[in-house]
Amino acid sequence: MGGLLVSGAPATADAVLLFELAVGLLLILGMLVVRGGHIRLHMYIQGSMILVNIPVVLVWMVPEYLRYVVPGLPGALAQSVYWVPTLMLAAGAVAEALGIYILLVAGTTLLPERWRFRNYKAWMRTELILWWAVLLTGVATYYLWYAPS
Ligand code: HEM
């Protein structure tokens, strides 16, 4: 399967890229679903996407980052092959943390009232936009790392 999108890309990189694109598209489907009034289905789609992303980041992205990016830091940070994945990991951590916070507020009663937001649309639209921004830095990282320069 290696090199599905860019010849020479490892098969796992292809699989992770396709997986993340699917997660991003399903989050948009989840948004369309809640506009149709299907809140429970929305909760299941959004909730599972936020959670299923965690093992993929920890098992694939973090080890790749530690192996190929960290050795070049901070000296090589000005190069896009270093700063783009660094931006992805930093913004991705924020998007994941915000996603988990949204799930705790909108899907549980675990948090005290003073920590709960009321404007669902504003918080969740921000999360969806941030998630897609991170996804696009992931696509950029894939092409920066594997596309023949
Ligand atoms: C337990 C999980 C969740 C529940 C119960 C939930 C519930 C809701 C509800 C009730 C609305 C309608 C708000 C309104 O019309 O004022 C909404 C809107 C929305 N939700 Fe969620 N949500 C959850 C998680 C998420 C997550 C994690 C995301 C993003 C990744 C998300 C994305 C959105 C978006 C983009 C909208 C706005 C839809 C629009 O433009 O009208 N939701 N959600």
Side-chain angles (χ1 to χ4, degrees), residues 27 31 34-35 42-43 46 106-107 120-121 124-125 127:
L27 285 173
M31 176 185 72
V34 83
R35 287 185 179 178
H42 170 76
M43 180 171 79
Q46 304 321 68
Y120 275 31
K121 259 190 190 166
M124 292 177 187
R125 284 180 178 174
E127 168 68 354

Side-chain angles (χ1 to χ4, degrees), residues 14-50:
D14 286 338
V16 169
L17 182 68
L18 294 174
F19 169 85
E20 292 296 346
L21 285 168
V23 167
L25 292 170
L26 281 165
L27 285 173
I28 291 178
L29 175 70
M31 176 185 72
L32 300 175
V33 160
V34 83
R35 287 185 179 178
H38 307 288
I39 297 174
R40 187 164 286 280
L41 181 56
H42 170 76
M43 180 171 79
Y44 290 142
I45 295 174
Q46 304 321 68
S48 51
M49 291 306 111
I50 299 291

Side-chain angles (χ1 to χ4, degrees), residues 65-141:
Y65 185 81
L66 295 175
R67 191 177 310 144
Y68 297 113
V69 178
V70 169
L73 300 181
L77 197 55
Q79 298 173 44
S80 54
V81 284
Y82 288 91
W83 70 260
V84 174
T86 302
L87 176 63
M88 176 186 63
L89 219 61
V94 174
E96 193 61 59
L98 178 58
I100 293 166
Y101 172 61
I102 289 172
L103 296 186
L104 287 172
V105 172
T108 78
T109 53
L110 293 172
L111 295 182
E113 196 51 41
R114 66 183 180 282
W115 290 3
R116 305 175 66 84
F117 57 75
R118 292 178 188 285
N119 189 341
Y120 275 31
K121 259 190 190 166
W123 281 83
M124 292 177 187
R125 284 180 178 174
T126 303
E127 168 68 354
L128 191 57
I129 292 165
L130 176 60
W131 195 279
W132 266 88
V134 174
L135 176 56
L136 294 177
T137 61
V139 174
T141 299

